[in-house]
Structure formats: C-alpha cells, structure tokens
C-alpha cells in the first residue's frame, strides 16, 4: 500500500461505516504512527473491523503492533457515556466497540477467533466425534479434566456470577447475561469465540453496576485498561460484594487472556509448521482423561498420528 488517503477522506468513509478499506487505512495509521503516536489497541480494533467486513488486504497487517493515543483526532464524536449506554443496551456501535477495545489490556488474540476455533475443533475431532466418549466426558463434569487455566476460569465465573447476582438484588439492578458454568462448554475445550463473548459479558456486567459506588465510579472507569490499577481501586470499595465482583472481573480478564494467548500460540505453531506444541496439548488432555478413569481408545499422539488439521481457507 504505497499511499494512504487523506485523513479527511478516511474520516468521511469511517462515518459512512461501509468502506472496510477506510478502517484498514486508519488501523495502519495507528500501527505505524503516521501523524500520531503508535497505538496498538486502536490499530488492532480498526484493522479487525476491516477484516470482519471482508477486507482481504488485512491479512498482512493483522500482526502489527503498537497503538493507543489521540482517539479524538480520528473520532471526535466519541462519547463515553453514549458508549456505556450502547453496551448496556447491546447496541453494536463504533462508540461501544471503541470503549470495549480501549478498556481491554490485550485482545489481539481475538482477531483470530475463527481460525483458533477451527484449529481446536479439528485437533479435538477424535474426541468430539466419538459419541460415547464425548458423552462420558460431559456427563462426568470432572474439574480434573480441566487444565490449570480452565480450572481457574471456572472458579472465577462462580465468584463473578455469585457476587453479581447479590449486587443486582441488593440495589435493584437489571442483571446482564453472563455465561454460567452450565452454559459455557468446558469439555473437552473452551471455544475461543465463547471466551471473547464472556469477556464482553463481564464488561457489560461491570458497567451495569457502575453507579453502586459513585465515590469511586470515575476511578475504575478510568482504569479499565489496567488490571493492576483496577485492583488498587478495589481497596477503596466498602461494599464487600462489589469488591469481590471487581476482583473477579480482573481475574476473569487475566484468565481469559491466558487461555486466548495459549490458543493463539497453537495457531502460530501450526502456521509455522511446528506441530509439536499441538501434540503436547492434545496429549495433556488425554493424560487428564486417563487419570480421571474415563475409558477411551485414544493413542499417545505423535507428529505421525496427529489429527489432520487444514486451515487453508483462512483469509
């Protein structure tokens, strides 16, 4: 891409909302720091937006890093209160997307959600396609089948949903939907698309209780991009249920990010034709399966008998 359109042309196209290349160009501007500071979060957001709208040129830019300053330069109409309202009312707007993106420490892994899900689906196909085995796994509902990150996420969801339910009842707040352990598929793996949705559900729930403690409202709204700063804000909260919820919200983001990074590492390993991490990943689950006493005929996987994976239809 030799020359980018003018900023005025990009702004005009962005407002129209129908030109994916405009979103790509804006992402490149932030990624390369053209006329502004480099900002990884905003670059990721706009390039992903172009990708989701079908712009095939995004592939070469999706690995770009750097971003986060001068939002008002490109979207002067952005309003945080409107963004909060849009998120709480499940309206998919640019304001809502920008607030969520700016309020996430690292969501680069979510650019590749579809590819990660396809890889995991094919990697676990020998398990999910075996009706009897798959039924035994889901009916066992054994936390020993979960990896460390999955187990921590499961406990976090229990704490988050319990404290959130208590807060909503105490203050008469209409609760937002959050995955329960029953509705989130934990076995044999968690879909990355579900993780991405869970992150958004947790964020929506957090915004729904922002008025519970008005004394610290602005503090935590201004610290949403930093888990460490949010935990510091927790120390100032007097309501124990609200404090537990905010701590659980931070832990939720940490646990989700860890799982997403792990699945992205598998995808990158596959793309680099280094299949050993995939072998080790599926064997770790088979080992947990055997330790839980669930009968199966799964082999000890090697590079020679790894389930076939084909992601050739990626963008």
């Amino acid at each position: 891409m030799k020359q980018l359109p003018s900023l005025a042309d990009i702004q005009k196209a962005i407002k129209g909302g129908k030109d994916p290349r405009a979103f790509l160009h804006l992402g490149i501007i932030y990624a390369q720091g053209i006329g502004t500071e480099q900002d990884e979060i905003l670059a990721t957001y706009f390039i992903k937006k172009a990708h989701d709208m079908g712009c095939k040129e995004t592939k070469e830019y999706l690995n770009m890093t750097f971003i986060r300053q001068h939002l008002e330069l490109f979207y002067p109409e952005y309003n945080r209160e409107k963004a909060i309202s849009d998120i709480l009312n499940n309206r998919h707007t640019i304001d809502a997307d920008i607030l969520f993106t700016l309020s996430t420490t690292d969501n680069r892994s979510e650019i590749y959600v579809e590819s990660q899900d396809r890889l995991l689906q094919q990697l676990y196909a020998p398990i999910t396609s075996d009706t009897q085995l798959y039924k035994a796994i889901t009916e066992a509902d054994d936390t020993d089948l979960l990896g460390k990150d999955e187990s921590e996420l499961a406990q976090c969801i229990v704490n988050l949903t319990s404290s959130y339910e208590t807060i909503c009842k105490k203050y008469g707040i209409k609760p937002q939907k959050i995955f329960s352990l029953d509705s989130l598929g934990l076995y044999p793996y968690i879909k990355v698309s579900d993780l991405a949705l869970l992150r958004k559900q947790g964020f929506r729930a957090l915004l729904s209780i922002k008025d519970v403690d008005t004394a610290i409202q602005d503090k935590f709204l201004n610290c949403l991009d930093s888990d460490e700063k949010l935990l510091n804000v927790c120390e100032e909260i007097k309501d124990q249920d609200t404090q537990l919820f905010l701590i659980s919200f931070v832990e939720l983001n940490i646990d989700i990010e860890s799982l997403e990074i792990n699945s992205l590492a598998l995808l990158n390993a596959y793309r680099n034709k280094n299949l050993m991490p995939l072998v080790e990943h599926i064997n770790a689950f088979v080992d947990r399966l055997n330790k839980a006493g669930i009968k199966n005929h799964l082999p000890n996987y090697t590079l020679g008998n790894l389930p076939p994976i084909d992601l050739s239809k990626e963008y």
Side-chain angles (χ1 to χ4, degrees):
M1 194 170 298
K2 297 181 180 179
Q3 186 174 2
L4 295 175
S6 69
L7 177 57
D9 288 339
I10 292 177
Q11 287 179 322
K12 183 177 179 181
I14 289 290
K15 290 177 182 178
K18 297 181 180 180
D19 184 357
R21 285 173 59 85
F23 286 97
L24 173 61
H25 293 157
L26 188 51
I28 294 170
I29 283 175
Y30 273 117
Q32 297 181 351
I34 302 173
T36 184
E37 294 184 26
Q38 293 175 319
D39 190 319
E40 180 179 353
I41 301 298
L42 288 179
T44 300
Y45 165 71
F46 286 116
I47 293 174
K48 181 180 183 298
K49 194 78 173 179
H51 175 75
D52 292 343
M53 293 174 70
C55 181
K56 295 183 179 180
E57 294 177 61
T58 58
K59 184 175 181 180
E60 61 182 294
Y61 296 104
L62 286 176
N63 284 322
M64 284 184 173
T65 57
F66 309 115
I67 305 186
R68 198 172 194 94
Q69 301 292 324
H70 307 309
L71 169 64
E72 68 281 357
L73 178 64
F74 295 101
Y75 198 74
E77 295 88 353
Y78 172 71
N79 180 281
R80 190 173 72 179
E81 290 306 313
K82 181 179 181 302
I84 291 174
S85 176
D86 287 341
I87 290 173
L88 291 178
N89 289 284
N90 204 25
R91 290 193 291 262
H92 301 289
T93 65
I94 292 178
D95 290 88
D97 286 345
I98 289 177
L99 176 60
F100 176 70
T101 303
L102 293 177
S103 302
T104 305
T105 53
D106 185 354
N107 64 356
R108 284 171 294 174
S109 301
E110 294 178 9
I111 292 176
Y112 306 99
V113 164
E114 182 180 347
S115 297
Q116 291 174 82
D117 274 350
R118 287 176 59 207
L119 184 146
L120 291 172
Q121 180 185 33
Q122 294 178 45
L123 184 61
Y124 281 90
I127 297 170
T128 56
S129 62
D130 185 331
T131 306
Q132 188 173 355
L133 174 58
Y134 182 60
K135 182 179 180 181
I137 291 172
T138 54
E139 289 183 349
D141 193 22
D142 188 344
T143 55
D144 288 338
L145 291 175
L146 303 177
K148 178 177 179 292
D149 290 333
E150 289 90 346
S151 182
E152 290 180 354
L153 177 64
Q155 183 58 56
C156 178
I157 292 174
V158 171
N159 294 338
L160 185 83
T161 53
S162 175
S163 57
Y164 182 58
E165 181 180 348
T166 300
I167 294 169
C168 289
K169 287 182 178 179
K170 184 187 297 184
Y171 295 98
I173 297 171
K174 181 180 179 181
Q176 299 286 330
K177 179 181 179 181
I178 306 177
F179 273 132
S180 65
L181 288 184
D182 293 333
S183 59
L184 181 66
L186 295 173
Y187 310 100
Y189 65 92
I190 305 175
K191 292 181 180 179
V192 183
S193 54
D194 283 348
L195 291 173
L197 180 56
L198 178 59
R199 188 202 295 272
K200 289 183 178 179
Q201 290 177 340
F203 186 60
R204 186 178 292 118
L206 174 68
L207 293 180
S208 74
I209 65 166
K210 66 181 180 62
D211 295 328
V212 167
D213 193 334
T214 55
I216 62 151
Q217 179 186 119
D218 283 338
K219 285 188 178 181
F220 80 70
L221 286 178
N222 291 327
C223 295
L224 291 173
D225 63 331
S226 170
D227 294 331
E228 183 178 355
K229 290 179 181 177
L230 273 178
L231 288 177
N232 289 335
V233 173
C234 287
E235 298 178 3
E236 302 180 41
I237 299 175
K238 297 179 181 179
D239 185 287
Q240 291 186 345
D241 292 306
T242 304
Q243 188 179 64
L244 175 59
F245 174 84
L246 191 54
I247 292 173
S248 299
F249 171 79
V250 174
E251 291 176 345
L252 182 78
N253 282 330
I254 293 173
D255 293 341
I256 289 176
E257 182 179 327
S258 180
L259 285 166
E260 288 180 339
I261 289 175
N262 289 342
S263 62
L264 182 59
L266 292 178
L267 179 62
N268 288 334
Y270 166 80
R271 287 173 170 169
N272 293 326
K273 298 182 180 180
N274 173 24
L275 301 183
M276 186 52 66
L278 280 69
V279 171
E280 294 171 350
H281 179 85
I282 190 65
N283 276 337
F285 180 77
V286 174
D287 287 343
R288 295 196 296 272
L289 203 61
N290 291 331
K291 289 178 181 178
I294 297 180
K295 295 182 180 180
N296 65 86
H297 301 288
L298 297 171
N300 178 47
Y301 286 102
T302 66
L303 292 176
N305 66 351
L306 192 68
I309 298 172
D310 181 10
L311 303 183
S312 60
K313 294 182 179 180
E314 287 187 287
Y315 286 107

